[in-house]
Amino acid sequence: MALSNDNLKGVILALLSSGFIGASFIIKKKGLRKAAAASGIRAGVGGFSYLLEPLWWVGMITMILGEVANFVAYAFAPAVLVTPLGALSIIVSAVLAHFILKERLHALGILGCVMCIAGSVIIVVHAPQEREITSVREIWHMATQPAFLLYVASVVVLVFVLIFRFAPCYGQSNVLIYTGICSLMGSLSVMSVKALGTSLKLTFEGTNQLVYPETWFFMLVVTTCVLTQMNYLNKALDTFNTAIVSPIYYVMFTTFTILASVIMFKDWDGQSIGSVTSEICGFIVVLSGTILLHITKDYDKNPSRGGYTQISPFFDGSA
């Protein structure tokens, strides 16, 4: 079936978004490396010298352009069409990392990427359509229902535990720590971005939503979550292979975002058992791909080993 004019605009914007975001991972990492070489302090161990590095800011601006394009794409096309295209940023970053950063992606890593993308596409394809929203107060009502408040509280607790308990001990050896923090906060930021985007769209259509305090609260949440994501994504990029960080971050971010959306917007209400089952199968494929990516991340750093590193997400074998 031919794409409508609006859907075509959404697809083009989503493709541009993937290109920008995928490239931003590489540009930012080159900036992080350059800043670390100049200051002697890496971002992964608490350094912030990258803020004075122009190349890092080029990467940051590139990522912002990608996020803006993605945000606007959702205004033209449904999520079921736009979201799967976000997986293309993984391919972009992996290919660029291979040629520019000389970070080799092994056969199992390639298979893991393919599985992550395939699983994520399965999840999104079988996900329900977004419900139509007419007011920011309608979203506020959804955000303050007990089930979603419990999810928010769980995310906040998990993020604090990861930051203050696990990051100091395992942040440098386990890619899931920093990416987990980014992904958990990202699920909240997306819910707030949806609310803010709806408010702006309704405002441009003539129904002013800026007079409601809920709109400004969602803007505050977006700012807080994005700043946290930026900080820990920098740590992840500075510590681990880009071809590993990109797909794992995408998979975890997509997983938590879909979960948050299911709870907040009750997306699974009215869905068939077949659709829900397909989504669960997609999660299993994604998990398998993530494991493959994780166990191959240190292969180049340890070429003398007879095999890959162990799967355990919290121990690096030094104990």
Side-chain angles (χ1 to χ4, degrees):
M1 183 174 64
L3 290 174
S4 66
N5 188 45
D6 281 349
N7 276 8
L8 181 59
K9 291 178 182 177
V11 169
I12 293 174
L13 286 167
L15 291 175
L16 288 174
S17 172
S18 295
F20 280 129
I21 293 175
S24 74
F25 277 98
I26 309 305
I27 299 172
K28 288 173 69 178
K29 182 149 189 177
K30 287 185 69 70
L32 289 170
R33 286 181 175 180
K34 189 174 180 181
S39 67
I41 304 176
R42 296 165 47 210
V45 293
F48 290 94
S49 60
Y50 61 84
L51 294 175
L52 301 177
E53 173 54 50
L55 187 59
W56 182 87
W57 282 107
V58 172
M60 192 64 207
I61 292 173
T62 303
M63 175 171 279
I64 291 174
L65 289 174
E67 295 295 351
V68 170
N70 190 59
F71 177 79
V72 178
Y74 280 101
F76 289 98
V80 71
L81 182 60
V82 175
T83 305
L85 297 179
L88 296 178
S89 64
I90 299 174
I91 299 175
V92 172
S93 63
V95 172
L96 291 179
H98 179 79
F99 290 104
I100 297 177
L101 301 180
K102 307 304 179 184
E103 296 179 351
R104 184 182 175 190
L105 187 60
H106 296 277
L108 284 180
I110 295 174
L111 177 60
C113 284
V114 172
M115 292 178 69
C116 288
I117 295 172
S120 298
V121 169
I122 291 172
I123 294 171
V124 176
V125 165
H126 292 278
Q129 295 286 346
E130 293 184 26
R131 60 185 297 178
E132 183 179 356
I133 299 171
T134 58
S135 171
V136 68
R137 287 190 164 179
E138 183 181 346
I139 302 179
W140 179 259
H141 176 72
M142 299 175 190
T144 54
Q145 57 187 321
F148 188 70
L149 289 177
L150 178 60
Y151 174 80
V152 172
S154 300
V155 167
V156 172
V157 170
L158 282 173
V159 167
F160 270 90
V161 170
L162 287 173
I163 291 176
F164 296 107
R165 173 63 180 89
F166 291 105
C169 300
Y170 309 113
Q172 298 295 307
S173 61
N174 179 6
V175 68
L176 299 180
I177 302 299
Y178 293 147
T179 53
I181 295 171
C182 294
S183 302
L184 286 166
M185 295 299 288
S187 69
L188 297 183
S189 68
V190 168
M191 297 303 103
S192 297
V193 163
K194 286 184 178 181
L196 190 58
T198 300
S199 299
L200 294 176
K201 181 180 179 181
L202 292 173
T203 297
F204 291 141
E205 290 176 349
T207 307
N208 189 6
Q209 302 292 307
L210 301 180
V211 297
Y212 299 119
E214 292 87 348
T215 299
W216 299 101
F217 176 81
F218 284 125
M219 184 177 294
L220 176 62
V221 173
V222 169
T223 302
T224 302
C225 292
V226 168
L227 289 176
T228 303
Q229 286 177 264
M230 181 182 71
N231 182 37
Y232 284 95
L233 181 58
N234 285 331
K235 292 179 182 291
L237 287 171
D238 188 55
T239 306
F240 302 100
N241 189 302
T242 305
I244 302 302
V245 173
S246 299
I248 289 180
Y249 174 57
Y250 170 78
V251 169
M252 295 180 69
F253 171 76
T254 302
T255 299
F256 287 125
T257 297
I258 290 177
L259 177 60
S261 183
V262 165
I263 295 174
M264 182 171 173
F265 295 100
K266 302 187 183 303
D267 289 332
W268 280 350
D269 287 5
Q271 271 202 298
S272 66
I273 296 178
S275 294
V276 175
T277 301
S278 296
E279 291 175 47
I280 294 175
C281 290
F283 275 107
I284 295 174
V285 174
V286 167
L287 177 60
S288 300
T290 302
I291 293 174
L292 280 179
L293 285 166
H294 184 59
I295 63 177
T296 59
K297 71 182 179 68
D298 292 326
Y299 186 70
D300 277 337
K301 296 180 181 179
N302 303 279
S304 62
R305 291 185 180 181
Y308 297 106
T309 55
Q310 80 293 338
I311 299 177
S312 174
F314 294 114
F315 300 97
D316 58 7
S318 61

